[in-house]
Amino acid sequence: MVGTGTSGYNGNTKSGLLLPGTQVQINHPQGLSVALNGNVVFADSTNHLIRAYVPPTGPSTSHVIDDLAGLVSNGVPQGGFNGDGQWADQTKLQNPAAVTVTRGALLVIADTGNSRARQIGPSPLPPQLGGIRSASQRPVDHPQNPRRALAAKKRDN
């Protein structure tokens, strides 16, 4: 359903359209979570990205991969750290190993290479933003108190 069988990165669009999941290369996928809307969110670890598999919504649509977090510059995923408070698609992650989605559409990421737990989006995202697919338009934060962030996650689930 997802991936070409060859490790790497080839983006997720062609001519401005999202590619079917079977045409998108991924590299060392890890730690997935299923959102309430049926999207499967996973860490594309070696590509330094958080991505979502979006199942078809009808007979004429295909399943696609949507990039939710991580910086891609000139068609190349950028690993590293460039601080907190950036928009999710402008935030560098370093080998994320896991991600979870709360009922409030908050993403909590194990940014393993940066030794941080990070979160995307307020909880809950406004319904008009479309939940998890709009999470890439929300800032990434480092929780001030990781125990409090995990307790909030447990409450949301």
Side-chain angles (χ1 to χ4, degrees):
M1 290 267 221
V2 177
T4 63
T6 303
S7 294
Y9 181 78
N10 64 342
N12 67 340
T13 61
K14 183 175 182 178
S15 303
L17 299 174
L18 289 171
L19 290 170
T22 54
Q23 294 179 24
V24 175
Q25 287 180 300
I26 57 178
N27 202 349
H28 202 187
Q30 294 190 62
L32 58 89
S33 181
V34 180
L36 290 176
N37 62 2
N39 294 353
V40 178
V41 181
F42 63 96
D44 189 353
S45 187
T46 307
N47 283 328
H48 315 292
L49 298 171
I50 301 299
R51 303 174 102 180
Y53 162 78
V54 181
T57 55
S60 62
T61 62
S62 65
H63 58 277
V64 296
I65 301 298
D66 197 3
D67 294 349
L68 300 180
L71 178 63
V72 177
S73 179
N74 296 318
V76 178
Q78 305 294 307
F81 182 75
N82 62 348
D84 293 321
Q86 312 281 336
W87 296 110
D89 63 356
Q90 296 299 309
T91 297
K92 288 185 179 180
L93 303 172
Q94 186 67 42
N95 301 108
V99 62
T100 191
V101 184
T102 68
R103 273 189 253 167
L106 174 75
L107 296 180
V108 180
I109 302 166
D111 189 2
T112 306
N114 286 318
S115 301
R116 295 168 87 82
R118 302 175 87 181
Q119 63 187 24
I120 298 175
S123 181
L125 289 174
Q128 66 270 23
L129 293 181
I132 183 105
R133 297 204 57 215
S134 295
S136 62
Q137 299 173 15
R138 293 283 170 229
V140 174
D141 295 313
H142 174 65
Q144 295 296 324
N145 181 339
R147 286 185 184 174
R148 194 167 131 210
L150 291 175
K153 177 192 150 315
K154 287 179 183 176
R155 269 196 319 273
D156 284 349
N157 286 329

